[in-house]
Amino acid sequence: MTKKNIRIGTRESQLAVWQAKQVKDMLYQYGFSAELVYIKSEGDIDLKTPLYEMGVQGIFTRSLDAALLNDNIDVAVHSMKDVPTQLPKGIIQSAVLPRGPVNDLLVFKNGHDFLNNESYPANIATSSLRRKAQWLNKYPHHYIHNLRGNVNTRLRKLTEENWDAAIFAQAGLERIDLRPENSKVIDWMLPAPAQGAIMVVCRKEDNYTFDACQNFNDESTALCTRIERDFLRTLLGGCSTPISALAVITNNNIHFKGNILSLDGSKKTTIEKVVSKQDAVNLGKTAAEELLINGGKEIAEEIRHAVN
């Protein structure tokens, strides 16, 4: 098979470029030449409209996927949690990189003692419906503010606005060495499905690129993120919903946690399951179906009516 230069599509943000460079380095490691191709996404252009008002399905992936289908690039690199659970026709997953930190991070201005003050109406910034719902479930007396933009922009906005803290993905800040000292892991908050993972996609008929990327596909991360995304797809399907999931492999078992919350955080249904890796093929789907039976259906219907 004739060797070709693999064109890697990436958004222009610092974090997106970091992710794309990881893929480029891995391709080099296995003897493939590659270059980065920069493409703007709708999510990068509009920094004011809340994500959940932008028809958020694939907001950060559509432009790259279009470039891929138009043969302007050979692979697209995405933060996996931003990728719709149903990939566009003609595009397939070619690799998942080893997972980074999965947690969310609270970056605060003047300490975090306010978290212990049940009468203090703190101002917290995030554009994520999932983070907003979980935060309000635990701190119903706090106020949530919309925070958009790339990591650098959001950190700057936190310093400029009259907010007490903002919520970020731990992996995003740590990968580009931007995690501030004034931050703490939110260990009680369940992450978004596939948070901390990076997905590489290519055209379905491009066997050369698919095989090249399979060299660095991490099977454990691929399995856990597939379970989490199956859970999301079975419940609602959208990547901007107050649904959380985390699958972890321990001693050949899969430990799974998932939840769904109402948009205002007042209602919450959770599920936990432990199964062997051999029995985990349909774990995400069965966990979601069990959750729906045990109170999740009412919340899911409420969300559908609110966002449609």
Side-chain angles (χ1 to χ4, degrees):
M1 187 180 288
T2 305
K3 285 203 168 189
K4 69 174 183 179
N5 190 49
I6 297 175
R7 300 164 295 171
I8 304 170
T10 177
R11 295 161 53 206
E12 296 177 323
S13 73
Q14 186 179 357
L15 179 57
V17 172
W18 181 93
Q19 294 177 164
K21 284 182 175 177
Q22 303 306 301
V23 174
K24 182 181 178 183
D25 290 345
M26 289 179 177
L27 285 168
Y28 275 179
Q29 184 181 333
Y30 287 95
F32 297 92
S33 62
E35 64 176 320
L36 300 189
V37 178
Y38 299 93
I39 295 170
K40 282 194 179 294
S41 78
E42 299 162 66
D44 294 317
I45 296 166
D46 182 346
L47 300 181
K48 293 184 178 179
T49 309
L51 287 179
Y52 44 87
E53 293 177 5
M54 294 178 71
V56 77
Q57 273 274 53
I59 191 70
F60 291 117
T61 61
R62 275 197 293 255
S63 298
L64 285 172
D65 290 340
L68 189 55
L69 290 171
N70 288 325
D71 198 16
N72 295 321
I73 57 176
D74 299 303
V75 300
V77 183
H78 302 304
S79 291
M80 201 170 183
K81 69 183 177 68
D82 294 334
V83 180
T85 56
Q86 186 68 47
L87 292 177
K89 187 177 180 180
I91 291 177
I92 58 172
Q93 178 177 306
S94 53
V96 181
L97 274 55
R99 199 171 199 169
V102 301
N103 290 105
D104 290 298
L105 201 66
L106 187 71
V107 179
F108 43 86
K109 275 187 175 177
N110 303 304
H112 50 83
D113 289 346
F114 68 87
L115 295 175
N116 301 317
N117 186 342
E118 295 184 6
S119 63
Y120 178 70
N123 292 283
I124 309 296
T126 177
S127 63
S128 162
L129 287 178
R130 174 189 60 84
R131 290 168 178 154
K132 176 181 178 181
Q134 288 195 74
W135 193 268
L136 289 176
N137 179 263
K138 188 173 178 69
Y139 301 105
H141 56 291
H142 287 183
Y143 293 93
I144 305 295
H145 301 268
N146 184 51
L147 178 60
R148 291 285 318 285
N150 61 39
V151 170
N152 308 70
T153 301
R154 284 181 282 149
L155 285 170
R156 189 187 73 247
K157 284 182 179 178
L158 175 59
T159 64
E160 295 171 351
E161 299 288 342
N162 188 28
W163 299 331
D164 295 283
I167 306 173
F168 295 80
Q170 181 183 356
L173 289 180
E174 292 185 354
R175 280 171 172 156
I176 53 177
D177 297 319
L178 282 181
R179 177 176 173 175
E181 288 187 14
N182 53 317
S183 63
K184 63 177 291 191
V185 171
I186 311 174
D187 53 12
W188 54 265
M189 183 175 282
L190 205 57
Q195 184 157 307
I198 297 168
M199 177 194 279
V200 185
V201 297
C202 68
R203 285 183 300 282
K204 187 175 182 180
E205 73 277 5
D206 187 354
N207 295 325
Y208 178 88
T209 300
F210 178 83
D211 291 341
C213 294
Q214 278 287 293
N215 284 297
F216 49 83
N217 180 58
D218 186 81
E219 291 185 2
S220 295
T221 302
L223 172 61
C224 289
T225 52
R226 182 174 62 75
I227 291 168
E228 295 163 18
R229 284 163 60 78
D230 284 349
F231 178 78
L232 172 62
R233 180 170 54 248
T234 304
L235 286 178
L236 279 172
C239 54
S240 180
T241 48
I243 293 172
S244 310
L246 180 63
V248 178
I249 299 175
T250 308
N251 298 327
N252 213 39
N253 288 327
I254 304 283
H255 292 248
F256 178 82
K257 293 181 181 180
N259 66 33
I260 182 171
L261 289 90
S262 59
L263 295 171
D264 64 0
S266 62
K267 300 172 187 173
K268 177 181 179 181
T269 305
T270 64
I271 188 167
E272 288 192 37
K273 296 182 82 68
V274 180
V275 303
S276 68
K277 279 178 68 175
Q278 291 75 18
D279 298 329
V281 177
N282 296 312
L283 175 57
K285 183 174 183 290
T286 56
E289 290 170 345
E290 192 174 316
L291 186 79
L292 288 169
I293 293 171
N294 295 317
K297 186 175 182 180
E298 176 190 344
I299 298 174
E301 289 298 329
E302 185 180 308
I303 294 169
R304 280 195 187 93
H305 291 309
V307 299
N308 290 335

